[in-house]
Amino acid sequence: VGALSGSTNYTTAQIYFVGHPISTYSTISETIQALLDGEVDGIIMDDLAYDAQYDAHPDEIIHVKGVLYADLLAFIFPKGSDLVEAVNRALDAMERDGTLQRFNEKWVPSEPLPVH
């Protein structure tokens, strides 16, 4: 199994593939190339990264549907950034009007799906 070095995908690989070698790569492109070259049998990557790679390799890669793991992610800005207040206001508004709840219901599973 391959994954982007230092990513949450690498952490997920460690959780689901205990006792199996996990190859790491510096870029998403390197990870895809390792798959195409047969260095690994499969890779773990985010859906958005997959979508971008699929456009470049539609006849060479396939996505297994389902979510192995859903991470809580954060926005991070440099100290003193003018964006912090604006992003916090936008997130508060999305929480109040139900947008965040709708996103969560659609995109975040209540539990990780089992690996087959």
Side-chain angles (χ1 to χ4, degrees):
V1 172
L4 192 62
S5 179
S7 69
T8 56
N9 298 316
Y10 175 73
T11 303
T12 300
Q14 290 178 307
I15 293 168
Y16 284 98
F17 296 95
V18 174
H20 297 279
I22 301 167
S23 298
T24 58
Y25 302 92
S26 299
T27 67
I28 291 171
S29 295
E30 287 177 9
T31 307
I32 289 288
Q33 195 59 53
L35 178 69
L36 297 177
D37 291 345
E39 291 177 26
V40 293
D41 295 320
I43 57 177
I44 296 177
M45 71 171 31
D46 299 342
D47 286 344
L48 292 175
Y50 166 78
D51 291 343
Q53 292 299 315
Y54 180 80
D55 290 343
H57 306 281
D59 298 324
E60 300 171 284
I61 62 175
I62 185 87
H63 180 229
V64 175
K65 297 295 181 189
V67 175
L68 292 176
Y69 191 79
D71 287 313
L72 297 176
L73 302 176
F75 289 107
I76 299 174
F77 300 103
K79 209 170 206 169
S81 172
D82 295 338
L83 294 173
V84 174
E85 189 176 324
V87 169
N88 282 336
R89 277 195 314 267
L91 289 171
D92 287 342
M94 292 170 69
E95 188 169 30
R96 282 192 306 276
D97 73 10
T99 300
L100 287 180
Q101 180 63 32
R102 287 190 301 278
F103 284 165
N104 284 332
E105 288 170 359
K106 182 173 182 176
W107 298 107
V108 180
S110 58
E111 294 181 24
L113 299 176
V115 175
H116 300 288

